[in-house]
Amino acid sequence: MIKLGLIGFGYWGPNLVRNFSVQKDVLVTAIAEAKLERHVQISKGYPGTLIYTNSSDLINNLEVDAIVVATPVFSHYKLAKEALLAGKHVLLEKPMTSSVDESKELIDIAKKKNLVLMVDHTFLYTGAVQKMKELIDQKQLGKLQYFDSTRINLGLFQPDVNALWDLAPHDISILNYLVNNKPYSVNSTGVSHTNNGIENVAFMTVNYQDDFIAHFNCSWTSPVKVRSTLIGGDSKMLVYNDLEPSEKIRVYDTGYYHSSDEEKNKIMVDYRTGDVFIPKLSTQEALYGVALDFIESILYSKVPLANAEIGLEVVKVLEASQKSIKNKGKEIII
Amino acid sequence: MIKLGLIGFGYWGPNLVRNFSVQKDVLVTAIAEAKLERHVQISKGYPGTLIYTNSSDLINNLEVDAIVVATPVFSHYKLAKEALLAGKHVLLEKPMTSSVDESKELIDIAKKKNLVLMVDHTFLYTGAVQKMKELIDQKQLGKLQYFDSTRINLGLFQPDVNALWDLAPHDISILNYLVNNKPYSVNSTGVSHTNNGIENVAFMTVNYQDDFIAHFNCSWTSPVKVRSTLIGGDSKMLVYNDLEPSEKIRVYDTGYYHSSDEEKNKIMVDYRTGDVFIPKLSTQEALYGVALDFIESILYSKVPLANAEIGLEVVKVLEASQKSIKNKGKEIII
Amino acid sequence: MIKLGLIGFGYWGPNLVRNFSVQKDVLVTAIAEAKLERHVQISKGYPGTLIYTNSSDLINNLEVDAIVVATPVFSHYKLAKEALLAGKHVLLEKPMTSSVDESKELIDIAKKKNLVLMVDHTFLYTGAVQKMKELIDQKQLGKLQYFDSTRINLGLFQPDVNALWDLAPHDISILNYLVNNKPYSVNSTGVSHTNNGIENVAFMTVNYQDDFIAHFNCSWTSPVKVRSTLIGGDSKMLVYNDLEPSEKIRVYDTGYYHSSDEEKNKIMVDYRTGDVFIPKLSTQEALYGVALDFIESILYSKVPLANAEIGLEVVKVLEASQKSIKNKGKEIII
Amino acid sequence: MIKLGLIGFGYWGPNLVRNFSVQKDVLVTAIAEAKLERHVQISKGYPGTLIYTNSSDLINNLEVDAIVVATPVFSHYKLAKEALLAGKHVLLEKPMTSSVDESKELIDIAKKKNLVLMVDHTFLYTGAVQKMKELIDQKQLGKLQYFDSTRINLGLFQPDVNALWDLAPHDISILNYLVNNKPYSVNSTGVSHTNNGIENVAFMTVNYQDDFIAHFNCSWTSPVKVRSTLIGGDSKMLVYNDLEPSEKIRVYDTGYYHSSDEEKNKIMVDYRTGDVFIPKLSTQEALYGVALDFIESILYSKVPLANAEIGLEVVKVLEASQKSIKNKGKEIII
């Protein structure tokens, strides 16, 4: 029986507790929350749970085996470090930390202490992403060529991070999970329409050393909500539309063949369009999968899907995008 | 009665002749076409028209007042220059020329000789673009903040220009026409999935000196066809979807207000969503409007909508995008 | 302070209690539920509430002023009658009763005893229906001509009533509420694909004495879910799509004019298509409006929107449809 | 070489000539058209063709082997009879004739004279209908249970036939072609919003002796254009949306199983939803297929797809619908 503590019972914390509570082999033992007015809600919903105001008290509780950190991103590094040093397994909300160096240090500590360090990239556990992973691993799309994501809507403006830090982590983690390829560099542009200089519209290209390319379009100021990703391979292509209630993935048996003739510069292209296939997806709640994976990784010493390396990759891309945006779109090597 | 000559009776030429033929005050007098096998088609469809194999013969025909050039882009500069020097008004297919210098030289000659020089940016004459122009000029959108265009589909790969040169001219001309603002610089990235190095997927950000921004997403290798542009203002926003048969423009009474509190970095944002309005659009064929505007510009010495300055702006942006792409996304000042 | 009792804490009961509990001037005093295993849930969620197993005990509680009946339809008549005779105001789940005679008797009792009798036709309280009512009352659609509703999906088969009794009450109540016109007769057809003879696919035409017509298409065996109604007037027409998250109502400035020439049988028709308008809708929970209307009707002796007359009209149409279906589609006068 | 004559060069006639002209083994020899102003257009487009004003002159031309009749429906019977009696093969526009008796007489004559008699139910030759036929014949849908068609739009009001006669023939012919089952009876309702009494909104149920059912919803006064058919089987279901440019057919691996428990009236239903499949469709012009089938039926003495029996079935259903509508929706046995 793993004894679990949660730090941060704000927007996402209750969802985490709910999904951990229904797992077997887990007992949610303690919750730390700085705001006292939330303590009543905790004691009502989870009567037997210890409630702390101070996170260090929870971390120092010797009974606790594993800690979930659901606080704002700037505090992730400090809390996770403290927890790891106290010998606890750690699940961090996304993005992992505010900088690459912080993420790397946490990974090092976790390795040395042989602890599970995982990041809550929830989307990896959705039926849609699992199905895309399956299709890509089966080579149904062929060699991957591009990943083009649009995640735009009206609001909510974040006060401290731009639209890419806010909206792109989901898509970057999906990209990293699906594509067996390391990003090489990042170009990013954007604009702020408020006087705090934080970009509410931003674009990013992630370049690879072969001819794969990824692109991200993020905005807090679109009149329409779009959650759409195109993934192209040299055999098939797919569209992932997360706003569709059930038909989120459409696989197109579409492509082209090109051949050169003698003159080097002339290419001949043959197009092909075929059937479209909309696979049925698992409807299990993604966060249930996150909780289960964290628990099983601890119990069976396995590497979780949403492991710290993916968390680090996401932070690397975000940090590079910020440098690029501040350098007028210049390529930043990751 | 204006006597008109056409050079190039390929894919687009017949549409031009058809739309000029129905104008009053115009007589399509002569057509030059290098491929002899097309001469039969011309003489059948337009029995009274002179047919030339050599374009210079048409240009030197003293009867001809105005010339339409519908040949591949690399030949535009040479033919237009020759025609202008021969004292003819000129309508060029888009994009205007292969380089900024060529476009500037043509503009200079036309000015000196007091001739109409126009570019066939057909989209400016569509009901959709005219309606957007009307809404923007009436300040219904407020101060414009962004323009975000996606123009993707499967094929047709061009052998000599990349996806931006092929697909973006429509959207760049629309941007220039709608927005009373000069672009400052361009960042562009892309990738080629063929061995000729010509990008089939490309992205471009056009930066302005105030906080307006434009973005373009072009691809020949998308499984789905998208022709969509978002235009955001600080009062309203609109979506222009050119694939909708009649409901191409949706105006959203959507926006947000932001205010700062004392701490400089904190902004308060209020969101607003309201009615959506889908205006009825004129269904007149756009190319008819192009022909009429060219004729009226000659007859009444007026400046056409799709004037050479817009044509030049489009070439400036394209040329800069190419430089940026070859310089790994670096900002190129226009 | 009105003291309220609820009979039936099954699927819909908890929603009713939740929405009545947040009203001022109401106290949910007692809940009757035959299934003992649900008593724990009630006492946990609503600690101060009296819990009865037998509904008569609740009805005979002298403290209770008003009763909400959320039990299966066959029991509505008996429970409502008992409650009215005991001097309680009554809100009944839809459809009101299993037969016209039962509904009429309840209305008579309520009138004699000067009690509020209301039916929970929740849809009347949605932002969408309220907006349509406003548009129609403002004569924006002109003279109404037709109402054409489709409500189809996969499942859930009901064991005792057919697809019309199950699915159409929503749309019939909306029809009755929006249209100031009494139905004259009904034709209905359908088919059962199970061996219990209950139609899982059924169609109904409701005829009026002028040239207004209404049509209903209901099915439990459609692969796609559709919740769509077209309403046509001689000035404008609208489409109500309840599956749209926010753009549920689209008003088309579309119509036609017809005129006869001398030959009586020849008509000349002119078509008109114009702007489309998508009004913003109130997003208040409909059931909150139901609860508020019931309470205010009691307090201020007003007639609720979803009054018993509308409930009766719905039952009249359903009863007639059943007769028609059993008589091979014959017209049944209401 | 079959020598073909066409009677009626109005709206559809030119399409027929165009598609017959490109067939091998056919020569379009003669065209009869009563309106003299159309003769110029014919002689321009088809220089070598004989042009008649009087259809009898064409029918009596001994050179002509086969005749296509593309005139208004009331003249079909007379012209087809005359042509058959003169020994010509006949292709009639849809619907075949104005009455069942007329259609039957034509079939008798054709049989006796061993001539091909075919009706231009063009839709049967579309890629979409061919694909549905293939899926149904392969038993992919299982036992068919229902066919539910909606064909509505704004205009064009017909002066002599109602919305069912105008719009439903396409869907009735598709129904007849796809379903190996004879209709038993028809119920129909409708309303006229003009003073000529011709229904512009009409509904029809076609009943079968087993539990298959078909339903048609036709209107000239809908603000939106819909061309949609649901076909349900006990294994799979499909949606055919003819307005989709390429994804016209969606096959849903969706269904339900029902079983009875001891109490006869109780059924247990299990639902199943699965993948969706959108097959690629042939894009050959349907009318080309019509022309080819007519020619091959003549040359090889085969029965065409759109044979006279299907034409007769369509007329039977239409005639019955008219009787039902005039008898207030009463069931009319076919």
Side-chain angles (χ1 to χ4, degrees), chain A residues 46 59 61 87 140 151 245 283 306 329:
Chain A
Y46 300 95
I59 292 170
N61 181 330
Q140 288 207 24
R151 188 174 285 266
T283 54

Short mmCIF file of all heavy atoms in Angstrom, two decimals, chain A residues 46 59 61 87 140 151 245 283 306 329:
data_model
loop_
_atom_site.label_atom_id
_atom_site.label_comp_id
_atom_site.label_asym_id
_atom_site.label_seq_id
_atom_site.Cartn_x
_atom_site.Cartn_y
_atom_site.Cartn_z
N TYR A 46 -12.60 14.25 2.11
CA TYR A 46 -11.68 13.15 2.43
C TYR A 46 -11.44 13.14 3.93
O TYR A 46 -10.38 13.55 4.41
CB TYR A 46 -10.38 13.32 1.63
CG TYR A 46 -10.66 13.30 0.16
CD1 TYR A 46 -10.84 14.48 -0.56
CD2 TYR A 46 -10.81 12.09 -0.52
CE1 TYR A 46 -11.16 14.46 -1.91
CE2 TYR A 46 -11.12 12.05 -1.87
CZ TYR A 46 -11.28 13.24 -2.56
OH TYR A 46 -11.60 13.20 -3.88
N ILE A 59 6.10 16.84 3.53
CA ILE A 59 7.29 16.18 2.97
C ILE A 59 8.06 15.42 4.06
O ILE A 59 8.61 14.34 3.82
CB ILE A 59 8.20 17.24 2.28
CG1 ILE A 59 7.49 17.77 1.02
CG2 ILE A 59 9.55 16.65 1.91
CD1 ILE A 59 8.15 18.97 0.37
N ASN A 61 6.82 14.04 6.67
CA ASN A 61 6.05 12.94 7.27
C ASN A 61 6.65 11.62 6.80
O ASN A 61 6.64 11.31 5.60
CB ASN A 61 4.58 13.07 6.84
CG ASN A 61 3.72 11.98 7.46
OD1 ASN A 61 4.20 10.87 7.73
ND2 ASN A 61 2.45 12.30 7.69
N GLY A 87 13.43 11.37 0.05
CA GLY A 87 13.23 9.97 -0.33
C GLY A 87 11.85 9.64 -0.86
O GLY A 87 11.44 8.48 -0.90
N GLN A 140 1.98 2.71 -39.66
CA GLN A 140 0.89 2.94 -40.61
C GLN A 140 1.04 4.27 -41.34
O GLN A 140 0.57 4.42 -42.46
CB GLN A 140 -0.46 2.89 -39.89
CG GLN A 140 -0.83 1.48 -39.48
CD GLN A 140 -2.33 1.29 -39.37
OE1 GLN A 140 -3.10 2.02 -40.01
NE2 GLN A 140 -2.75 0.33 -38.59
N ARG A 151 -3.65 25.51 -31.32
CA ARG A 151 -4.35 25.47 -30.02
C ARG A 151 -4.67 26.91 -29.66
O ARG A 151 -3.88 27.62 -29.06
CB ARG A 151 -3.46 24.81 -28.97
CG ARG A 151 -4.16 24.54 -27.64
CD ARG A 151 -3.27 23.75 -26.68
NE ARG A 151 -3.16 22.35 -27.04
CZ ARG A 151 -3.94 21.37 -26.54
NH1 ARG A 151 -4.84 21.65 -25.62
NH2 ARG A 151 -3.78 20.15 -26.94
N PRO A 245 -16.40 15.23 -30.09
CA PRO A 245 -16.74 14.44 -28.89
C PRO A 245 -16.21 13.01 -28.97
O PRO A 245 -15.66 12.52 -28.00
CB PRO A 245 -18.27 14.46 -28.85
CG PRO A 245 -18.74 15.21 -30.04
CD PRO A 245 -17.56 15.77 -30.78
N THR A 283 -12.35 5.52 -23.79
CA THR A 283 -12.91 6.70 -23.14
C THR A 283 -12.55 6.75 -21.66
O THR A 283 -13.12 7.52 -20.91
CB THR A 283 -14.45 6.71 -23.30
OG1 THR A 283 -14.95 5.46 -22.80
CG2 THR A 283 -14.85 6.87 -24.74
N ALA A 306 4.88 9.20 -19.04
CA ALA A 306 5.13 10.63 -18.91
C ALA A 306 6.32 10.84 -17.99
O ALA A 306 6.24 11.44 -16.93
CB ALA A 306 3.90 11.33 -18.37
N GLY A 329 13.03 35.94 -33.47
CA GLY A 329 12.77 34.76 -34.27
C GLY A 329 14.00 33.97 -34.67
O GLY A 329 13.91 32.99 -35.41
#
